[in-house]
Amino acid sequence: NVHHTDFPYHITARTNKGESFPCEMKEAWNIYQNALWFCSRIFETRVLGFVLMSNHFHLLMSTPEGNLSNFMKYFMKKTSDDIRRLKNVENHLYGSRYYASLVSNQKYFQCVLKYIYQNPIRAGLTTSILHYPYSTLPSFLGLERMVIPIHDDYQFFEDLTDNLTWLQEDFDSQALEQLQYGLKLPELKFKPNSSYYFDDTSFNKASRPPIS
């Protein structure tokens, strides 16, 4: 497969039969942190956001080398092997291959970032995106230490206060349904209105070429 080098991907994978990880979440989080740190260096990928849930993960990542398949094959094998070794189990960790959706639009990227960080809120695990411990957001903001290298490709800190406020606001039901459907496609497609986005001015200052 030919993979894109310019635009990021939303990637998710679920455990076998949707069962919870066969270990404590803290243990799983440490394994995923270390795997992302290790694999991102081997394959020269850029982690833009990551959230670990009890039976799946959401990863937002760009692949400048166009090596998504190789990265995910190694990453999923390593996390599976490490968890199975930790708990001395033989069952496969993942129920199927990963699902990746190309995010080829800057506004889409904003919505996907919001979607993955709000996942724990929708699951009833927290009331604030800043308080969920198995997310890259607290470390990205300097609130916690973490080994995963997170890149700010989209100049999130240009307007931090407004962006955090927007990130915490709920999607309406129609936007959420459209986004969830779009993320099942090889390339994300949906039509939200402008109120679902960050203030465009903060992204116009980005040093990288704009996504359009």
Side-chain angles (χ1 to χ4, degrees):
N1 293 338
V2 176
H3 292 296
H4 222 290
T5 59
D6 297 326
F7 305 134
Y9 289 89
H10 169 264
I11 306 158
T12 187
R14 189 170 295 272
T15 58
N16 193 25
K17 299 180 180 179
E19 298 175 349
S20 297
F21 290 114
C23 62
E24 298 295 328
M25 279 295 290
K26 287 183 179 180
E27 295 173 323
W29 177 242
N30 287 335
I31 286 173
Y32 276 90
Q33 280 195 87
N34 291 331
L36 280 174
W37 178 88
F38 185 67
C39 296
S40 65
R41 279 160 173 73
I42 292 176
F43 296 96
E44 300 184 20
T45 57
R46 297 172 67 87
V47 179
L48 306 173
F50 181 75
V51 173
L52 183 67
M53 304 295 286
S54 63
N55 62 2
H56 67 282
F57 65 80
H58 293 272
L59 172 61
L60 190 56
M61 183 182 72
S62 60
T63 56
E65 301 298 320
N67 54 359
L68 177 64
S69 293
N70 290 337
F71 172 91
M72 288 305 300
K73 180 179 180 180
Y74 194 97
F75 175 70
M76 292 179 70
K77 184 179 188 305
K78 180 170 178 54
T79 51
S80 179
D81 287 348
D82 288 352
I83 288 177
R84 289 190 294 117
R85 187 180 303 112
L86 175 68
K87 305 307 290 185
N88 194 26
V89 295
E90 297 182 358
N91 295 337
H92 294 293
L93 178 65
Y94 297 105
S96 62
R97 69 182 302 276
Y98 66 91
Y99 295 92
S101 182
L102 183 69
V103 185
S104 60
N105 180 290
Q106 191 176 79
K107 295 182 184 296
Y108 290 174
F109 172 85
Q110 299 166 25
C111 290
V112 174
L113 192 70
K114 179 172 180 171
Y115 174 77
I116 68 171
Y117 282 138
Q118 285 195 356
N119 209 258
I121 295 179
R122 289 190 296 273
L125 301 175
T126 185
T127 58
S128 170
I129 56 176
L130 296 178
H131 296 159
Y132 186 66
Y134 311 119
S135 160
T136 54
L137 184 60
S139 176
F140 177 64
L141 298 174
L143 303 177
E144 294 181 4
R145 295 183 63 183
M146 184 181 61
V147 301
I148 304 173
I150 304 299
H151 294 269
D152 184 20
D153 282 10
Y154 292 82
Q155 305 298 308
F156 188 85
F157 287 95
E158 289 286 334
D159 195 356
L160 180 59
T161 301
D162 287 346
N163 288 344
L164 279 177
T165 299
W166 177 85
L167 208 60
Q168 181 80 359
E169 294 172 350
D170 293 337
F171 285 111
D172 66 38
S173 58
Q174 181 180 8
L176 182 60
E177 182 179 343
Q178 290 177 353
L179 182 53
Q180 289 173 330
Y181 175 79
L183 287 173
K184 296 177 182 178
L185 304 174
E187 181 175 347
L188 173 61
K189 298 289 184 182
F190 81 122
K191 297 180 180 180
N193 64 47
S194 60
S195 66
Y196 304 151
Y197 307 136
F198 290 152
D199 181 356
D200 285 343
T201 57
S202 65
F203 286 88
N204 288 339
K205 301 174 184 177
S207 59
R208 63 173 289 170
I211 291 179
S212 58

